[in-house]
Amino acid sequence: KRDLHLTPGNAFGLEISVNELPPGLYTVAWQALSSVDGHLTKGSFVFTVGDTPLVDSDPRQFIAQVDAALEKSALPPPLETGVRWLNILFLVALAGSFAFPLLILFPARETARKSKSIWIGYRDYFTGETILPDDALNAWARPWLRFTRAAWILFCFATIAMLIEQTLKTSDLSALPRVLTATRFGTLWLARAALLAGLGWILWKARVDWASDPRDNYPLLIGLNLSALLILNQSLNSHNAAITNPPYVALGMDLLHLAGTAIWIGGLLHL
């Protein structure tokens, strides 16, 4: 009767009315999309109407056919896995790009300034010239901007792909507006889009400001905070966010894991 609704008093139950059924054996195939982590769950169960004994029938073959039909209608797992994997990869590359100079490069440079006996410059392998710390900073800024812009663009594409993949789980692309406006995933996706827009502005500002003084850390500080919010956004859409008893420990562990991965991988990519 198309009146699917939550079971009163049970946030994890669904009810739907059906027309009057003749006696017999019936199979229900269901699938549901989690409002917390956006993952699809599905299954089937059997019930009887009237005096038809369930033990005298063999519904396994029919259930297998139903499950096979559900598999064909779902997004291919390799595509879903690839989209999610690239989403994480580009996220940690982007966040790590802002973390590396503030947490690793600049502290090391300051240590070198205070202890000239440790390091006062380095010799260029090709020209043989000694490059001082300030010159090295100027040389670092240009490739950093190129790398971070590339990571930002790729993460934007991965974010759009995540939205399309999530929409195809529910129906077709015509459901995209409803996914954006009526689901928790859509709310988090719009917040992610706003954070990415802010990071885009920061990268443009860094390009302008560093043309005159590459020692200006203001864009990096703002970018690091926006990147941390992107990591939090990702954690809020993870499996750990679906844990309800208690949610904070699992969510905090996921957040720390992503942040640590971003600092580690981001640093390696810049070395």
Side-chain angles (χ1 to χ4, degrees), residues 20 52 83-84 89 200 210 213 216 222 259 263 268-269:
E20 185 175 352
T52 304
V83 168
R84 291 182 178 273
L89 176 63
W210 286 358
D213 185 6
D216 184 9
I222 300 299
I263 296 171
L268 290 178
L269 291 175

Side-chain angles (χ1 to χ4, degrees), residues 122-247:
Y122 69 90
R123 184 172 296 277
D124 187 276
Y125 179 80
F126 297 101
T127 65
E129 298 179 353
T130 299
I131 299 178
L132 298 176
D134 285 340
D135 298 326
L137 184 61
N138 293 333
W140 164 83
R142 289 188 296 273
W144 180 90
L145 273 173
R146 288 195 296 268
F147 176 90
T148 310
R149 280 201 303 265
W152 179 81
I153 292 171
L154 290 172
F155 188 53
C156 286
F157 279 116
T159 297
I160 295 172
M162 284 285 291
L163 176 61
I164 294 174
E165 180 256 338
Q166 189 75 5
T167 303
L168 292 178
K169 282 183 177 180
T170 60
S171 178
D172 52 32
L173 290 179
S174 63
L176 193 147
R178 188 165 183 268
V179 171
L180 278 176
T181 59
T183 66
R184 185 173 183 269
F185 173 89
T187 301
L188 290 173
W189 191 93
L190 291 173
R192 175 185 291 199
L195 291 171
L196 280 172
L199 279 177
W201 177 80
I202 288 296
L203 291 174
W204 176 82
K205 182 173 177 58
R207 180 180 181 181
V208 174
D209 292 351
W210 286 358
S212 57
D213 185 6
R215 294 172 296 179
D216 184 9
N217 291 348
Y218 174 73
L220 291 175
L221 291 170
I222 300 299
L224 182 62
N225 283 279
L226 292 177
S227 298
L229 290 176
L230 278 175
I231 292 176
L232 175 61
N233 182 282
Q234 177 66 34
S235 294
L236 289 173
N237 199 37
S238 66
H239 283 299
N240 289 329
I243 298 176
T244 58
N245 189 27

Side-chain angles (χ1 to χ4, degrees), residues 50-163:
D51 296 330
T52 304
L54 183 61
V55 294
D56 292 344
S57 58
D58 186 11
R60 296 177 184 176
Q61 183 177 0
F62 183 68
I63 293 176
Q65 294 174 353
V66 172
D67 289 341
L70 287 174
E71 289 291 339
K72 290 181 181 179
S73 64
L75 198 66
L79 179 58
E80 178 182 351
T81 301
V83 168
R84 291 182 178 273
W85 186 84
L86 290 174
N87 171 69
I88 295 292
L89 176 63
F90 297 143
L91 170 61
V92 299
L94 179 61
S97 193
F98 284 97
F100 173 75
L102 291 173
L103 302 181
I104 300 173
L105 179 64
F106 292 169
R109 177 174 172 270
E110 187 62 26
T111 300
R113 280 183 173 278
K114 294 179 179 179
S115 180
K116 293 184 178 180
S117 60
I118 298 177
W119 181 66
I120 59 174
Y122 69 90
R123 184 172 296 277
D124 187 276
Y125 179 80
F126 297 101
T127 65
E129 298 179 353
T130 299
I131 299 178
L132 298 176
D134 285 340
D135 298 326
L137 184 61
N138 293 333
W140 164 83
R142 289 188 296 273
W144 180 90
L145 273 173
R146 288 195 296 268
F147 176 90
T148 310
R149 280 201 303 265
W152 179 81
I153 292 171
L154 290 172
F155 188 53
C156 286
F157 279 116
T159 297
I160 295 172
M162 284 285 291
L163 176 61

Side-chain angles (χ1 to χ4, degrees), residues 7-25:
T7 302
N10 181 11
F12 300 99
L14 291 175
E15 293 182 356
I16 189 171
S17 303
V18 297
N19 296 319
E20 185 175 352
L21 299 174
L25 174 69

